[in-house]
Amino acid sequence: GASTINEVALFGRPSILVPLPHWLADNHQFYNAKTLADVGGALLLEQTQATPQALGALIVDLLQNEDKRLELAQKAIPQAHVNAAGDAAAAIAKLIEQNA
């Protein structure tokens, strides 16, 4: 989910994101993936469209197109939240403290 999106961005890896369908927690995986795809930092392939042919075409295109891979990586990196895990842990600790 969100952690994967952040790691893709943090390490500047070109990616094809195929989120789980909408029935999972209000479609959060789609919206997380869309956030990165909307800025050009990833390719988004909805699971309903993820045929072997569609996914294969995207993979082949990326393998053959170094400029596209570099573009995806360069646009992903600024989207990373460097201390996401630490911030999440701090927020959880604060909630625990408030409800103790």
Side-chain angles (χ1 to χ4, degrees), residues 16-79:
I16 301 167
L17 304 172
V18 185
L20 288 172
H22 66 279
W23 51 264
L24 182 66
D26 298 324
N27 210 14
H28 74 277
Q29 285 194 355
F30 170 79
Y31 292 108
N32 289 336
K34 187 174 183 320
T35 298
L36 191 56
D38 282 351
V39 298
L43 300 176
L44 175 61
L45 180 61
E46 292 189 57
Q47 197 170 60
T48 57
Q49 307 298 314
T51 63
Q53 295 80 13
L55 182 57
L58 289 174
I59 291 169
V60 168
D61 183 53
L62 282 180
L63 289 173
Q64 294 177 345
N65 191 338
E66 182 178 4
D67 289 341
K68 181 67 174 178
R69 293 192 310 270
L70 291 173
E71 178 184 356
L72 289 168
Q74 290 171 347
K75 290 183 176 180
I77 291 170
Q79 306 308 311

